Amino acid sequence: ATSSIVQTASGTELASFLAFEVPQSAIPFGSLAPGSTTNPIVASTTMRAIGNLGLNENLSGSSMCTTYPTCPVSPTSTIPVTSEAYGSSSVQYASATVLTGSSTLFVLAVPKTTATSSPQSRATFWGIAVPGSITLAGDYTGQNTIIGVRSSPSLW
């Protein structure tokens, strides 16, 4: 076949392709009694760099309850979003960063993937402090949002 399209000696450069995967659909905090805290924080999610950029995360969340997504404003049946915390390793809960309802940059520094057969990845560790005021037993559900953002090229 013939074509007028030709490759130049310098090639064609793909500017940037932000793509990532977080394979976990839930954060496994486990069963905790009121007044309990995961210490150290051990539940984790993994961010995999699928594109051609290094990555950080923007993190935010919502309160948890047994009737999610409609959580009552109640200290006996709602775990506030600020009861969750995260970090880049399994640290003590008190040393982790508190999750909020606003998107917050977390410098995870996932390196740039250079071979599609082995994507680069890093884990975010999660913990929770269940308020002692919780009296309603059950499975508490909420939503955490993880958005991949381009990291500084110096971190690739």
Side-chain angles (χ1 to χ4, degrees), residues 21-143:
E21 172 188 38
V22 178
Q24 296 81 14
S25 61
I27 299 171
F29 290 121
S31 297
L32 294 167
S36 297
T37 302
T38 53
N39 221 3
I41 60 175
V42 294
S44 66
T45 54
T46 303
M47 175 170 269
R48 291 186 185 137
I50 306 299
N52 67 349
L53 305 172
L55 299 171
N56 290 323
E57 296 175 321
N58 275 339
L59 302 174
S60 62
S62 66
S63 295
M64 293 184 275
C65 62
T66 60
T67 58
Y68 183 83
T70 307
C71 292
V73 179
S74 167
T76 60
S77 61
T78 301
I79 301 173
V81 65
T82 54
S83 291
E84 285 186 71
Y86 59 90
S88 57
S89 63
S90 183
V91 298
Q92 294 298 306
Y93 178 86
S95 298
T97 303
V98 172
L99 187 68
T100 68
S102 300
S103 187
T104 303
L105 178 65
F106 178 46
V107 179
L108 188 58
V110 179
K112 175 173 90 169
T113 294
T114 57
T116 57
S117 60
S118 55
Q120 295 289 317
S121 65
R122 291 240 164 103
T124 301
F125 291 82
W126 298 88
I128 191 167
V130 179
S133 60
I134 295 291
T135 58
L136 181 64
D139 291 331
Y140 281 69
T141 303
Q143 179 173 317

